[in-house]
Amino acid sequence: MSSKAGVEKRKATAPISPPPTKRSVASGTTKSAVSNFFTPTSQKPKDRTSWSERKDDSNKPATLLVGRYTPETESKEPNKRRKIAAFDLDSTLITTSSGRKHSKDASDWRWWDKRVPGKLKALYEDGYHVAILSNQGGITLHIDPKQKPPQKFTSKRLGEFKEKVSAVLRYLDLPITIYAATAKDNFRKPRRGMWDEILHDMGVKAEDIDLEHSIFVGDAGGRIAAVSDGVAYVKDFSCSDRNLAHNIGIPFKTPEEYFLEQEPRKWERDLDLVHYPLRSESDPNTLFEKRNKKDIVIFCGRPGAGKSTFYWKQLEPLGYQRVNQDTLKTREKCIQAAKELLSEGLSVAVDNTNADPSTRKIWIDLAKSYNVPIRCVSFTTPAAVCRHNDAMRSLNKSLNPEDREVLPEMAFTGFQSRYKPPQESEGFQDITEVEFRFRGTKEDYEIWGRYWL
C-alpha cells in the first residue's frame, strides 16, 4: 500500500436516522476554576495562611486551630504593638451569602457589613494587633474512634473552614491570626485560653498590653429580645463574647455598636458574678456546729453546689467521716461504708445530692437502725452557679483536688426533675440551710470570679 493511500480519509456514510437534538446543560464549573486548572502551579497565587494546632492539655489531642496570614509585603520592623483589637468571626466579621444560619460550603460567605474590611485595615494602620477568636464546635481536629455516634464529615468541615478563612484573610491582606477553639476546654470562649495564645505569639506579657484601649467585638453579648422602630431583634444565643472581654479586662462592643455605631441594646447574663463577691472578713467562719456525740449528717443539693468544699472546711474538722458516691461509685457501697463507720462509733457525713424523700429515707432508716440522730444540710446554690462551679473546677487543677471531670448536663437536669426540698417531718433532727458564698483565698477568687460558661 502506498503512503498516499495510508493517509487517505474514509468517506463518511449517511446516517440512518437524524442526529439527536442537542440539549444545553448548565455547567457547575466557574470560569475562575477553569482558569485556575490550566494555570501552571508555579503561577498560581500562594496560600499565605499557615495552619497549626495547639493543645490545652499535654496528655490530650490538640483542640486549637491556628491560622496565621503573612502578607507578601509584611513589615520587618520590630513588633511594638500593645493594643489588641480582637473579633469574633461568624455574624461579626462575616455572614453567609446564602442567608442560611451555617455556611453550606467554603464559598458561602460575605462581609457582615461593607465597612468591615476598611475598619480592620484602619485598626492595623493605627498600631493595633488584629486577631480573630472563634468558637468552632462543629470542627474536630482529631477523630475519637470511641465516640458514639461516630463523627461524620470531619475532614470535609475542617477543609471548608480553612478554605473560607484563607479567602477572608487573603482579601484583607493583613498579618492577622485566627484562633479557632474546637472543644470545651480552656481555649473556648469565654475562657481566656485563646487570648493567652495571642500574648504568647506576640511575645508579650499580660501587663504589657494597653487593656483600656484594646477591644473585643462579638455578637454573643447577652442582648435580650426587643422591638425598636418596628424592627424585631432576637435574643442573643449567649453572653460568651461579652464575658470573655470581662475575663480579660477590656471593653466590649457588638458588631452593631462597633461597625454601625448603633446605640447599645439591653442585655443580661444568666449568671452575674457581681452578686457573688469575695467573702468579707466579717462573715462567720463556722456554719455548722456538732450537736451529738454520734450522728449522721446528709447533704442535699445540686451537683456543684459546694457540698464537698463544705465538708472539708466545716465537718471534717469536727471529726465526721465522709461517704461520697462519686468516690465509692454505688449507693450500696456508700451504705456499707456508713454502717462500718457507725459500728466503729464514728459520725458520718453523706456527701451526695440526696434530691428526693425516697433517697433520703434510706439514710433516715439507717440512722434509726443504729439509734443515732440524723441531720440535714440543704444547699440552696442556684443552678447557674452550680454549672459555673462545675466548669471552673474541671478546668483548674489547683481548685480540683479530687480531679473531677466536667459533669454531663443530665447530672443537673436529673437532679432538678427529682428534687423535693427536705423537711424536718421526714425525720431530721434539724435542717441547716447554706447559701452560696465563695469562701477561699483572694488568689482562688481571681480564678473563680471569671466567667467559665
Side-chain angles (χ1 to χ4, degrees):
M1 181 181 294
S2 67
S3 59
K4 181 178 180 181
V7 296
E8 186 176 358
K9 296 181 181 179
R10 290 190 302 167
K11 294 182 179 180
T13 58
I16 299 174
S17 60
T21 303
K22 292 184 179 181
R23 291 184 300 168
S24 176
V25 180
S27 171
T29 307
T30 63
K31 292 182 179 179
S32 59
V34 173
S35 175
N36 190 51
F37 177 82
F38 288 103
T39 301
T41 302
S42 59
Q43 297 180 22
K44 291 179 180 179
K46 178 183 177 182
D47 184 357
R48 309 198 66 82
T49 304
S50 58
W51 295 95
S52 62
E53 299 175 0
R54 301 181 189 178
K55 295 182 177 183
D56 175 47
D57 187 329
S58 58
N59 297 318
K60 296 181 180 180
T63 58
L64 182 67
L65 180 66
V66 180
R68 164 72 178 175
Y69 182 85
T70 305
E72 188 173 2
T73 57
E74 183 180 18
S75 173
K76 303 299 182 182
E77 297 179 3
N79 190 347
K80 297 180 180 180
R81 297 172 187 267
R82 293 297 179 266
K83 297 181 294 183
I84 298 175
F87 297 83
D88 183 30
L89 178 64
D90 299 307
S91 300
T92 298
L93 296 182
I94 63 173
T95 187
T96 62
S97 55
S98 64
R100 297 168 47 149
K101 183 177 181 180
H102 301 292
S103 59
K104 60 182 180 180
D105 54 39
S107 64
D108 185 16
W109 73 274
R110 62 178 176 82
W111 294 111
W112 183 83
D113 183 84
K114 62 182 181 181
R115 284 163 275 197
V116 170
K119 189 75 172 180
L120 297 185
K121 292 178 181 179
L123 282 167
Y124 181 76
E125 292 171 359
D126 195 30
Y128 279 84
H129 179 90
V130 183
I132 302 173
L133 309 180
S134 177
N135 286 347
Q136 292 291 332
I139 297 174
T140 302
L141 300 183
H142 299 276
I143 297 177
D144 182 359
K146 298 179 181 178
Q147 181 172 327
K148 296 181 179 179
Q151 296 154 326
K152 298 180 179 179
F153 313 117
T154 298
S155 59
K156 179 182 178 183
R157 289 178 180 174
L158 178 59
E160 288 181 346
F161 178 77
K162 287 182 176 180
E163 185 179 343
K164 178 174 68 175
V165 169
S166 293
V168 171
L169 298 182
R170 187 164 56 246
Y171 185 101
L172 293 169
D173 198 33
L174 298 172
I176 295 178
T177 301
I178 181 170
Y179 302 83
T182 66
K184 294 181 179 180
D185 53 18
N186 274 303
F187 291 132
R188 185 176 179 83
K189 295 180 295 184
R191 301 154 195 171
R192 286 180 50 111
M194 289 193 285
W195 176 265
D196 293 336
E197 292 299 309
I198 294 178
L199 303 184
H200 176 270
D201 292 345
M202 291 177 66
V204 300
K205 298 179 180 179
E207 55 267 27
D208 295 332
I209 297 300
D210 181 355
L211 297 179
E212 181 182 356
H213 294 100
S214 295
I215 192 169
F216 185 73
V217 180
D219 65 307
R223 292 169 291 182
I224 63 176
V227 177
S228 178
D229 296 330
V231 179
Y233 297 95
V234 299
K235 178 182 178 180
D236 284 350
F237 66 92
S238 82
C239 198
S240 59
D241 289 335
R242 188 184 300 273
N243 289 345
L244 171 64
H246 171 92
N247 289 344
I248 298 169
I250 60 177
F252 169 80
K253 286 190 176 183
T254 65
E256 289 81 2
E257 295 165 20
Y258 189 75
F259 294 114
L260 309 183
E261 300 182 354
Q262 293 182 3
E263 290 296 316
R265 282 169 46 197
K266 290 184 178 180
W267 61 274
E268 61 184 11
R269 293 184 170 106
D270 292 334
L271 168 64
D272 198 332
L273 295 177
V274 71
H275 301 306
Y276 299 93
L278 180 63
R279 180 184 66 86
S280 67
E281 296 298 328
S282 60
D283 284 355
N285 289 319
T286 302
L287 303 176
F288 184 89
E289 295 182 355
K290 190 171 177 62
R291 294 180 56 181
N292 310 295
K293 184 177 180 180
K294 182 173 71 170
D295 58 14
I296 297 176
V297 174
I298 73 167
F299 294 166
C300 176
R302 294 181 175 90
K307 300 185 296 296
S308 296
T309 300
F310 186 87
Y311 166 77
W312 293 113
K313 292 189 176 182
Q314 300 290 328
L315 271 68
E316 195 269 345
L318 298 176
Y320 282 88
Q321 302 300 305
R322 180 174 179 243
V323 172
N324 174 252
Q325 193 163 320
D326 289 337
T327 303
L328 297 176
K329 304 306 180 185
T330 68
R331 182 187 297 168
E332 289 70 24
K333 289 183 178 180
C334 289
I335 295 171
Q336 183 58 38
K339 288 179 178 179
E340 294 173 1
L341 292 168
L342 290 169
S343 298
E344 296 174 10
L346 300 171
S347 292
V348 174
V350 182
D351 179 9
N352 298 331
T353 59
N354 299 308
D356 54 88
S358 61
T359 302
R360 297 191 288 263
K361 188 176 185 300
I362 295 172
W363 298 106
I364 293 169
D365 290 344
L366 181 64
K368 288 179 180 178
S369 69
Y370 278 83
N371 197 29
V372 296
I374 184 166
R375 306 172 67 188
C376 179
V377 178
S378 177
F379 295 81
T380 60
T381 312
V385 177
C386 292
R387 286 179 168 85
H388 172 91
N389 289 343
D390 175 59
M392 181 279 307
R393 176 179 60 193
S394 67
L395 292 166
N396 293 277
K397 294 182 179 180
S398 63
L399 298 177
N400 189 13
E402 295 179 301
D403 198 26
R404 297 192 188 185
E405 296 286 337
V406 66
L407 293 170
E409 180 62 19
M410 181 62 71
F412 299 99
T413 57
F415 174 89
Q416 191 59 42
S417 66
R418 296 183 292 110
Y419 177 64
K420 295 290 187 296
Q423 308 291 330
E424 284 191 16
S425 59
E426 295 178 40
F428 297 116
Q429 184 181 53
D430 59 25
I431 297 175
T432 301
E433 285 198 354
V434 177
E435 293 184 358
F436 181 81
R437 294 286 185 277
F438 181 85
R439 297 176 174 89
T441 65
K442 182 179 180 181
E443 291 73 21
D444 288 345
Y445 184 79
E446 288 179 357
I447 297 174
W448 185 90
R450 301 174 189 167
Y451 289 97
W452 294 94
L453 294 171

